């Protein structure tokens, strides 16, 4: 099979349980043109160079386009205006400087150290409740029982979304996350569902933001709605940002926890060491991030011809930064296929890099550490029911759909 | 414990400030100020900061084991 169709194979759900042999075939081919004109970038050095290259743009979404309704007033007047507004208020993950930087600075004033660190106690308490609920069970699903409910509670708390609305949020987050997959952008059915979800969540956020303005509380949305020392966001940016924080803070962390537990069960020695010494957690989490990243790749667009690694990426070409491949680049990591939490120089790309480096990384690390430490302590003699487990469809946001464990008991 | 940050490498990702706020502080958008000799009770948090740095700019020497993280 030729390397020029490798990205199709990577996206093929049948390769979800183990895409790593596909990535390994890219060794020695840091930049490969695909038949459809997309460029696949896989080496640590090339990804690093492109992440810091201003000729690479994150604004790679096609313009919004509502489906025709048959009503000429809607189709020719209302919808195009709405599409234009949506296209101009992308979340910052799909924006370039200077807009991106201005928005990010505003968000950072609210993503404070004290707020993030306050989530430690919150996450511990919530995990306790989740496990207590399963007390007496001989089987547990890490995804459904733990990895899914935890991050949604935490991000809702950070934002200031009322607890009773969490289940609704969970559904929205899942739907919007599927829209991040490259193929979903061209799939009409997914696009229709995404638009409906987007409308529902936007309407909800609008009301909530109004409420936060009237009765500000100590949470991110209240802060953003009131305006910050780094400036204020317009209404549309405010809504786009809150939706982004919800989705990004949720789906990715689910994968971190589920991939983490799966990896530990495949390396029981490390699980045992963690059980005995919680101080192992930071190193473990970093190595899990490198070895089984929650996000395998992100897409960009070339704004000019870019010469790199003997190739020229032409202006306008879609670019795939294959972070998960770079994380196992033998030129960067010794024995890359080995799971080794003690590697001294673990500079992975699992939070991306440069301007768009994951804003939520500190929160994700806290949630990952606390979840793994708690599971290691409280699950007595856990064993995988299916190995490999069934995977969710996403090739970029990749993780198990379910992760069933049989246990002696839950302590 | 001795902490050194390679300020040529540092890109102000601020991950250390979240991991060990009492030892690392970002002034303005990109000036990192840090405590080069934190007391032993900060060890866990310093280790977190070392692990969390996206550009591996932080090195630490513990008094018992030299150069466990680079």
């Amino acid at each position: 099979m030729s390397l020029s169709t490798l990205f199709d194979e990577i996206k093929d759900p049948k390769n979800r349980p183990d895409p790593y042999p596909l990535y390994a075939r890219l060794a020695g081919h840091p930049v490969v043109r695909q038949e459809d004109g997309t460029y696949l970038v896989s080496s640590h050095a090339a990804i690093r160079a492109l992440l810091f290259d201003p000729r690479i743009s994150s604004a790679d979404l096609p313009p919004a386009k509502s489906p025709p309704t048959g009503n000429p007033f809607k189709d020719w007047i209302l919808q195009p205006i709405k599409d234009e507004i949506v296209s101009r208020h992308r979340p910052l993950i799909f924006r370039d400087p200077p807009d991106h930087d201005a928005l990010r600075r505003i968000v950072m004033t609210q993503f404070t150290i004290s707020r993030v660190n306050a989530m430690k106690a919150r996450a511990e308490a919530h995990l306790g409740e989740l496990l207590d609920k399963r007390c007496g069970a001989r089987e547990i699903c890490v995804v459904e029982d733990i990895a899914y409910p935890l991050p949604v509670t935490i991000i809702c708390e950070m934002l200031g979304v009322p607890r009773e609305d969490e289940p609704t949020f969970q559904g929205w987050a899942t739907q919007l996350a599927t829209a991040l997959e490259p193929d979903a952008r061209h799939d009409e059915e997914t696009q229709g569902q995404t638009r409906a979800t987007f409308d529902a969540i936007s309407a909800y956020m609008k009301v909530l933001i109004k409420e936060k303005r009237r009765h500000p509380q100590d949470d991110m949305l209240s802060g953003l709605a009131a305006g910050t020392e780094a400036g204020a966001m317009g209404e549309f940016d405010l809504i786009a940002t809150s939706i982004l924080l919800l989705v990004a803070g949720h789906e990715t962390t689910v994968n971190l926890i589920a991939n983490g537990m799966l990896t530990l069960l495949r390396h029981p020695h490390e699980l045992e060491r963690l059980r005995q010494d919680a101080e192992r957690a930071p190193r473990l989490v970093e190595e899990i991030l490198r070895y089984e990243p929650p996000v395998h790749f992100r897409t960009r667009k070339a704004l000019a011809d870019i010469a790199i690694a003997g190739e020229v990426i032409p202006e306008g070409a879609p670019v795939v930064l294959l972070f998960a491949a770079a994380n196992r680049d033998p030129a960067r990591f010794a024995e890359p296929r080995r799971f080794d939490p003690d590697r001294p120089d673990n500079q992975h790309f699992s939070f991306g890099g440069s301007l768009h480096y994951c804003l939520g990384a500190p929160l994700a690390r806290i949630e990952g550490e606390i979840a793994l430490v708690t599971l290691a302590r409280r699950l007595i003699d856990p064993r995988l029911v299916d190995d490999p487990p069934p995977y969710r469809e996403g090739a970029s946001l990749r993780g198990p759909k379910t992760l069933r464990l049989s246990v002696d008991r839950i302590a | 414990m001795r902490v050194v940050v390679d300020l040529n490498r540092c890109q102000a990702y601020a991950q250390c400030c979240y991991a060990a706020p009492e030892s690392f502080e970002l002034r303005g958008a990109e000036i990192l100020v840090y405590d080069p000799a934190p007391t032993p009770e900060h060890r866990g948090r310093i280790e977190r900061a070392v692990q969390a740095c996206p550009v591996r700019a932080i090195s630490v020497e513990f008094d018992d084991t030299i150069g466990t993280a680079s």
Side-chain angles (χ1 to χ4, degrees):
Chain A
M1 186 69 80
S2 147
L3 287 181
S4 67
T5 53
L6 197 75
F7 193 43
D8 288 334
E9 285 185 71
I10 291 169
K11 288 184 292 185
D12 188 337
K14 81 171 193 304
N15 289 316
R16 210 62 79 241
D18 187 13
Y20 301 104
L22 295 174
Y23 302 156
R25 284 169 51 194
L26 289 163
H29 306 278
V31 179
V32 179
R33 185 184 187 277
Q34 301 296 287
E35 273 172 6
D36 67 355
T38 299
Y39 282 75
L40 207 50
V41 184
S42 57
S43 75
H44 199 277
I47 287 184
R48 191 178 151 75
L50 290 182
L51 279 173
F52 285 90
D53 194 321
R55 295 169 298 176
I56 281 285
S57 168
S58 291
D60 72 326
L61 282 184
K65 200 172 175 328
S66 302
T69 61
N71 175 334
F73 175 66
K74 280 190 180 162
D75 288 352
W76 295 97
I77 314 269
L78 277 188
Q79 301 285 28
I81 294 175
K82 193 177 147 202
D83 290 345
E84 177 66 20
I85 291 172
V86 170
S87 298
R88 283 197 194 178
H89 295 85
R90 301 287 196 199
L92 63 160
I93 191 173
F94 297 118
R95 304 273 280 269
D96 290 328
D99 298 10
H100 162 273
D101 301 20
L103 288 171
R104 182 168 171 128
R105 260 197 295 277
I106 294 172
V107 178
M108 286 307 286
T109 64
Q110 299 305 308
F111 201 75
T112 57
I113 292 169
S114 58
R115 247 178 218 150
V116 170
N117 285 337
M119 289 304 131
K120 275 181 200 164
R122 194 67 204 84
E124 263 163 14
H126 189 51
L127 268 167
E129 291 163 24
L130 291 170
L131 282 166
D132 290 346
K133 242 192 257 173
R134 300 291 301 160
C135 191
R138 300 293 302 270
E139 193 175 295
I140 184 168
C141 174
V142 173
V143 177
E144 233 169 84
D145 297 329
I146 306 292
Y148 235 91
L150 177 69
V152 79
T153 299
I154 297 298
I155 195 67
C156 284
E157 189 126 334
M158 287 284 291
L159 288 174
V161 170
R163 278 202 93 166
E164 61 269 26
D165 295 337
E166 279 179 22
T168 324
F169 259 66
Q170 193 160 315
W172 285 336
T174 308
Q175 175 59 39
L176 290 175
T178 57
L180 284 174
E181 295 301 326
D183 285 351
R185 293 177 190 174
H186 310 290
D187 177 69
E188 284 205 359
E189 200 190 318
T190 317
Q191 277 205 339
Q193 286 166 354
T194 304
R195 203 168 296 107
T197 308
F198 182 80
D199 287 347
I201 194 172
S202 300
Y204 174 91
M205 281 299 182
K206 224 176 267 181
V207 174
L208 186 59
I209 287 163
K210 210 181 261 177
E211 173 63 23
K212 297 281 177 191
R213 285 215 173 96
R214 226 175 301 151
H215 305 289
Q217 285 158 311
D218 183 14
D219 54 49
M220 287 186 70
L221 273 183
S222 296
L224 293 174
T228 70
E229 65 262 32
M233 282 185 200
E235 194 76 12
F236 292 112
D237 278 330
L238 195 48
I239 291 169
T241 304
S242 23
I243 297 174
L244 170 69
L245 292 173
L246 163 71
V247 178
H250 183 224
E251 294 294 321
T252 48
T253 317
V254 175
N255 290 346
L256 171 59
I257 296 170
N259 290 342
M261 205 53 202
L262 175 61
T263 305
L264 287 178
L265 285 157
R266 286 172 173 170
H267 300 84
H269 170 66
E270 290 296 343
L271 181 60
E272 186 51 36
R273 286 179 79 186
L274 178 64
R275 196 193 326 272
Q276 288 170 15
D277 178 13
E279 293 293 316
R280 298 275 303 157
R283 290 176 164 269
L284 267 175
V285 166
E286 291 313 306
E287 179 67 347
I288 288 162
L289 283 163
R290 181 194 73 85
Y291 188 79
E292 288 276 17
V295 181
H296 274 226
F297 57 85
R298 295 280 304 128
T299 58
R300 298 287 198 270
K301 190 173 75 183
L303 293 180
D305 292 356
I306 302 172
I308 182 159
E311 291 281 337
V312 176
I313 303 177
E315 179 182 343
V319 177
V320 176
L321 305 177
L322 205 41
F323 296 139
N327 283 354
R328 294 185 180 212
D329 181 347
R332 182 62 182 74
F333 298 101
E335 292 189 76
R337 286 161 57 198
R338 203 160 74 90
F339 180 72
D340 174 14
D342 292 312
R343 47 179 79 243
D345 185 15
N346 199 351
Q347 193 181 344
H348 56 73
F349 283 129
S350 302
F351 290 121
S354 178
L355 299 176
H356 289 274
Y357 185 86
C358 177
L359 196 140
L363 186 59
R365 287 181 163 117
I366 286 175
E367 292 181 60
E369 281 184 26
I370 292 176
L372 295 178
V373 168
T374 310
L375 288 171
R377 285 194 179 148
R378 292 197 55 186
L379 302 185
I380 307 303
D381 195 16
R383 296 161 306 264
L384 281 168
V385 173
D386 319 292
D387 191 6
Y391 274 80
R392 295 199 282 164
E393 216 170 295
S396 172
L397 291 173
R398 170 189 172 270
K401 190 189 222 161
T402 61
L403 186 64
R404 294 191 301 142
L405 313 182
S406 58
V407 293
D408 264 12
R409 61 191 171 86
I410 295 168
Chain B
M1 191 171 19
R2 279 172 300 283
V3 173
V4 179
V5 178
D6 181 342
L7 293 172
N8 290 318
R9 276 190 158 203
C10 174
Q11 300 276 343
Y13 284 107
Q15 300 304 301
C16 52
C17 307
Y18 286 96
E22 52 294 285
S23 309
F24 299 90
E25 190 196 341
L26 211 54
R27 298 222 176 117
E30 50 195 34
I31 303 163
L32 182 75
V33 185
Y34 66 97
D35 178 357
T39 47
E41 74 265 23
H42 291 121
R43 183 170 177 154
R45 272 163 284 178
I46 297 284
E47 162 86 352
R48 269 183 181 74
V50 171
Q51 290 300 322
C53 177
V55 290
R56 305 291 130 181
I58 308 170
S59 38
V60 58
E61 281 180 8
F62 299 113
D63 294 328
D64 48 346
T65 52
I66 302 293
T68 52
S70 58

